[in-house]
Amino acid sequence: DAEITQSPRHKITETGRQVTLACHQTWNHNNMFWYRQDLGHGLRLIHYSYGVQDTNKGEVSDGYSVSRSNTEDLPLTLESAASSQTSVYFCASSGDRSTQYFGPGTRLLVL
Amino acid sequence: AQSVSQHNHHVILSEAASLELGCNYSYGGTVNLFWYVQYPGQHLQLLLKYFSGDPLVKGIKGFEAEFIKSKFSFNLRKPSVQWSDTAEYFCAVSWTNAGKSTFGDGTTLTVKP
């Protein structure tokens, strides 16, 4: 069965370190998304991609970057981790008509 | 700007009570509408969706939603909730056919046994 996986599932890091969260999907979807989920804010879009070499900023993109070198992967990099980036991060992908399939999430703690 | 509003942040019900969760979006045009559910400790999964046709759509686990175009609304309903429906529910709207969705802030539903 097709799926979307994220790694690591849990991460503790220190302020100022660079962190990369992996997202891998086997749906063969062109569209991939990164969200963060915080209490009281629901899901907020960080970055998204409509295909290889395409990346776009979402509503909360400051301090984050993505790159898309193949269809399956969209890694999310925190350039210099800040305590405000402590959150749960979800990756999602979609094909036609925008139905999104979500990964299990990565819980990130920045100390 | 495109936005999605969910009116209830936290709903507490007893088992067998009826449920209605409100969802409104900011403006019209062609929309794709979704409700996602996130059970405790799990990832989001699709509950139901509306693309076109019959405005009353049925999803998994007895949920349904009604699209009212004139009110920019897509409310979620269930006639009789169960303890296992305890979860967070997200409404999402996409104004493009293959692109990003805007999510509401979510509604936490607690069902008391």
Side-chain angles (χ1 to χ4, degrees):
Chain A
D1 286 348
E3 61 176 355
I4 181 165
T5 57
Q6 294 182 234
S7 62
R9 296 293 311 280
H10 302 271
K11 175 77 177 178
I12 301 174
T13 191
E14 294 177 342
T15 302
R17 289 189 180 265
Q18 185 181 78
V19 176
T20 297
L21 308 183
C23 175
H24 179 83
Q25 54 103 357
T26 58
W27 291 96
N28 199 33
H29 286 158
N30 283 328
N31 309 322
M32 295 184 73
F33 310 87
W34 272 105
Y35 298 90
R36 59 179 289 175
Q37 184 180 28
D38 304 288
L39 201 61
H41 291 280
L43 286 167
R44 292 184 290 176
L45 184 63
I46 305 171
H47 281 286
Y48 59 103
S49 168
Y50 287 154
V52 176
Q53 302 300 333
D54 175 76
T55 61
N56 306 278
K57 293 181 179 181
E59 61 179 305
V60 291
S61 60
D62 287 349
Y64 303 94
S65 64
V66 293
S67 62
R68 187 90 180 270
S69 58
N70 58 52
T71 300
E72 295 79 19
D73 299 289
L74 187 70
L76 177 71
T77 297
L78 286 68
E79 306 293 346
S80 177
S83 58
S84 60
Q85 294 177 309
T86 291
S87 187
V88 181
Y89 292 85
F90 286 100
C91 181
S93 70
S94 73
D96 293 340
R97 308 305 292 272
S98 310
T99 301
Q100 296 192 17
Y101 298 86
F102 286 83
T106 294
R107 200 171 286 272
L108 176 68
L109 175 61
V110 182
L111 298 174
Chain B
Q2 299 161 343
S3 64
V4 179
S5 298
Q6 294 184 236
H7 313 300
N8 313 100
H9 295 293
H10 197 174
V11 173
I12 302 174
L13 296 173
S14 298
E15 275 194 315
S18 63
L19 169 72
E20 181 160 2
L21 301 182
C23 173
N24 286 88
Y25 56 95
S26 54
Y27 64 87
T30 301
V31 291
N32 298 321
L33 302 164
F34 308 86
W35 277 97
Y36 292 88
V37 60
Q38 184 179 28
Y39 296 105
Q42 297 187 25
H43 58 93
L44 279 81
Q45 55 188 285
L46 183 68
L47 198 55
L48 49 77
K49 60 188 176 186
Y50 171 83
F51 294 154
S52 63
D54 188 344
L56 185 62
V57 293
K58 296 191 184 299
I60 60 172
K61 303 187 180 186
F63 286 90
E64 64 180 32
E66 184 176 13
F67 169 48
I68 303 179
K69 189 174 182 178
S70 61
K71 295 185 177 180
F72 304 115
S73 71
F74 189 55
N75 292 353
L76 181 70
R77 300 196 291 250
K78 186 171 184 179
S80 176
V81 295
Q82 300 173 315
W83 177 79
S84 58
D85 293 325
T86 294
E88 190 158 16
Y89 293 81
F90 293 92
C91 179
V93 180
S94 174
W95 281 270
T96 64
N97 250 354
K100 61 190 175 77
S101 293
T102 299
F103 284 76
D105 285 346
T107 297
T108 301
L109 171 66
T110 301
V111 180
K112 298 185 293 184

